[in-house]
Amino acid sequence: MISLALIGCGEVAESGHLPTILNHDRFRLAAVCDVDAARAQLLANRAGGVPVYTDWRELLAREQELDGVVLALPPEVSPDVAIEALRNNLAVLDEKPLAATVA
């Protein structure tokens, strides 16, 4: 079983990433995270009550059994989260480009 956290709980996460994780027998959703606590709680409830975080740093520090993260974040936020997740030896699926500009 591959344990994943979903970081970013917007429309694409709700309609795409969450159902994919929940409907695949090899994945387990371990936690969700969004700066909007109500959005995170909504997705957590749909997932059967997984832990909710509003700070991705706290999620990475506390969720020790993760295998990877799915990032559904704005491009200006995504690189920092992806880099820190990789430093924690986690697999990363980032739906966005890794930068807002080429520079």
Side-chain angles (χ1 to χ4, degrees), residues 20-41:
T20 300
I21 294 167
L22 295 178
N23 293 320
H24 198 291
D25 62 354
R26 294 200 54 206
F27 297 141
R28 177 183 79 83
L29 186 64
V32 296
C33 180
D34 197 280
V35 295
D36 181 341
R39 280 298 294 172
Q41 189 63 59

Side-chain angles (χ1 to χ4, degrees), residues 8-24:
C9 295
E11 190 67 35
V12 172
E14 182 179 11
S15 65
H17 299 304
L18 182 68
T20 300
I21 294 167
L22 295 178
N23 293 320
H24 198 291

Side-chain angles (χ1 to χ4, degrees), residues 3 5 17-19 21 24 26 29-30 33 41-42 50-51 57 60 73-75 78 84 88 90 97 99 103:
S3 180
H17 299 304
L18 182 68
I21 294 167
H24 198 291
R26 294 200 54 206
L29 186 64
C33 180
Q41 189 63 59
L42 175 71
V50 300
R57 291 169 196 86
L60 293 181
L73 300 167
S78 192
E84 193 59 32
N88 283 282
L90 298 174

Side-chain angles (χ1 to χ4, degrees), residues 48-81:
V50 300
V52 171
Y53 295 90
T54 57
D55 185 325
W56 60 268
R57 291 169 196 86
E58 182 182 0
L59 183 151
L60 293 181
R62 288 192 175 187
E63 295 294 330
Q64 300 298 313
E65 302 299 319
L66 287 178
D67 298 306
V69 294
V70 176
L71 306 182
L73 300 167
E76 62 274 8
V77 176
S78 192
D80 292 336
V81 183

